[in-house]
């Protein structure tokens, strides 16, 4: 499986934007970039995914580099509820069974 | 709509016993996956079922097994429990076979082996 690299931890002030980076230099052309987050004492929660173009949804935005070797998850206005571990995962496209390979993720702390 | 339901939420077992955990996916979801989460190893894939067939299996010993029923509900079983099996066991379901969207995870079953 292609590997992702994320910072171990990041801090943000409440109500400020947060940019969570992810490097995936060995990504293949058919890998989707997925982001999940895990709040304390809960299962992971799907955040967003994309292939080549930037993506937006109600939770976040995903900015994908032109060469696809890196991506950034953007939380536009951090709240205390966004404090979680954020995982960047590469997932092959197409039919079939594909497990999610979780790394250690980035622990985001939000300061009031 | 109801999310992924895992039962029980907490479980304490003794070494050598066996345990069965249950997962009810979101209605209409046919793919169910299981993951183990420990502080040392993080989240690790156990296996995935689709339409009652195991499609993929992670690197776990044969003591870990599972099955999926015709209504997509799934169970996983761990036999001859070891202390190292203490973990949070998470179930995730998805709608599509060739997943491009997201999995929905349950809150997990916290298993403690003493």
């Amino acid at each position: 499986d292609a590997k992702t690299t994320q910072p171990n931890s990041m801090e943000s002030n409440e109500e400020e934007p947060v940019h969570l980076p992810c490097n995936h230099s060995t990504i293949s052309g058919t890998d989707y970039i997925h982001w999940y987050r895990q709040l304390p004492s809960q299962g992971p929660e799907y955040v967003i995914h994309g292939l080549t173009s930037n993506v937006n949804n109600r939770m976040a935005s995903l900015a994908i580099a032109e060469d696809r070797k890196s991506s950034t998850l953007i939380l536009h206005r951090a709240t205390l509820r966004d404090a979680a571990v954020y995982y960047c995962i590469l997932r092959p496209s197409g039919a079939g069974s594909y497990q999610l390979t979780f790394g250690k993720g980035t622990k985001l702390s939000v300061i009031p | 709509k109801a999310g992924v339901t895992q039962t029980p939420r907490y479980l304490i077992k003794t070494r050598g016993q066996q345990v069965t955990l249950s997962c009810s996916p979101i209605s209409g979801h046919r793919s169910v996956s299981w993951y183990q989460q420990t502080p040392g190893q993080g989240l690790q894939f156990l296996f995935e079922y689709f339409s009652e067939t195991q499609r993929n299996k992670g690197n776990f010993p044969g003591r870990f097994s599972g099955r999926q029923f015709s209504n997509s509900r799934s169970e996983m079983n761990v036999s001859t429990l070891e202390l190292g099996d203490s973990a949070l066991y998470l179930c995730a379901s998805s709608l599509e076979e060739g997943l491009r969207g997201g999995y929905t995870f349950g809150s997990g079953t916290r298993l403690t082996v003493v």
Side-chain angles (χ1 to χ4, degrees), chain A residues 32 34 36 38 41-46 49-50 87 91-104, chain B residues 9 35 37 40-41 43-45 48 55-58 88 90 97-108:
Chain A
Y32 278 79
H34 285 241
Y36 283 77
Q38 188 173 22
S41 303
Q42 294 187 26
E45 175 187 26
Y46 166 79
H49 77 280
Y87 298 97
R91 194 190 183 284
S93 62
S97 169
Y98 300 106
Q99 70 250 39
L100 298 176
T101 302
F102 289 85
K104 295 194 182 303
Chain B
R9 286 297 310 275
Y35 290 80
Q37 186 171 28
Q41 299 298 319
L43 278 151
Q44 293 185 287
F45 172 77
E48 188 240 355
R55 296 176 53 83
N56 200 357
K57 191 177 191 318
L88 180 66
L90 292 155
E97 176 183 351
L99 177 68
R100 291 187 292 276
Y103 283 97
T104 302
F105 282 80
S107 296

Side-chain angles (χ1 to χ4, degrees), chain A:
Chain A
D1 291 340
K3 190 176 174 180
T4 63
T5 304
Q6 300 177 252
N8 289 333
S9 62
M10 291 183 64
E11 272 188 359
S12 173
N13 292 319
E14 195 176 10
E15 298 188 7
E16 288 187 357
V18 183
H19 291 230
L20 296 161
C22 180
N23 287 316
H24 28 78
S25 58
T26 59
I27 190 171
S28 78
T30 57
D31 286 341
Y32 278 79
I33 302 160
H34 285 241
W35 283 82
Y36 283 77
R37 71 180 184 181
Q38 188 173 22
L39 280 65
S41 303
Q42 294 187 26
E45 175 187 26
Y46 166 79
V47 177
I48 199 167
H49 77 280
L51 184 61
T52 55
S53 304
N54 295 344
V55 184
N56 300 295
N57 67 20
R58 63 175 181 80
M59 289 181 69
S61 295
L62 176 59
I64 301 172
E66 198 168 329
D67 63 6
R68 301 209 328 126
K69 293 185 177 181
S70 65
S71 61
T72 302
L73 179 70
I74 303 166
L75 306 179
H76 295 287
R77 212 164 145 263
T79 69
L80 297 179
R81 292 182 58 190
D82 292 322
V85 178
Y86 286 79
Y87 298 97
C88 170
I89 299 166
L90 301 182
R91 194 190 183 284
S93 62
S97 169
Y98 300 106
Q99 70 250 39
L100 298 176
T101 302
F102 289 85
K104 295 194 182 303
T106 297
K107 184 175 183 179
L108 175 66
S109 301
V110 179
I111 302 166

Side-chain angles (χ1 to χ4, degrees), chain B:
Chain B
K1 60 183 177 183
V4 176
T5 304
Q6 292 190 246
T7 55
R9 286 297 310 275
Y10 302 93
L11 205 50
I12 299 176
K13 288 285 188 179
T14 304
R15 265 185 308 175
Q17 287 186 314
Q18 76 165 17
V19 67
T20 299
L21 312 181
S22 179
C23 171
S24 293
I26 289 175
S27 178
H29 284 194
R30 294 195 294 165
S31 171
V32 174
S33 300
W34 288 88
Y35 290 80
Q36 181 197 65
Q37 186 171 28
T38 59
Q41 299 298 319
L43 278 151
Q44 293 185 287
F45 172 77
L46 279 157
F47 26 66
E48 188 240 355
Y49 288 87
F50 182 84
S51 294
E52 302 179 67
T53 301
Q54 187 182 91
R55 296 176 53 83
N56 200 357
K57 191 177 191 318
N59 189 24
F60 279 82
R63 301 184 297 107
F64 291 81
S65 63
R67 59 178 175 169
Q68 186 181 34
F69 302 96
S70 57
N71 62 358
S72 293
R73 191 177 69 85
S74 177
E75 289 181 347
M76 68 163 282
N77 184 77
V78 187
S79 62
T80 319
L81 284 165
E82 301 177 358
L83 295 180
D85 297 333
S86 295
L88 180 66
Y89 290 88
L90 292 155
C91 168
S93 75
S94 71
L95 181 60
E96 299 172 343
E97 176 183 351
L99 177 68
R100 291 187 292 276
Y103 283 97
T104 302
F105 282 80
S107 296
T109 293
R110 173 76 62 185
L111 172 65
T112 302
V113 182
V114 297

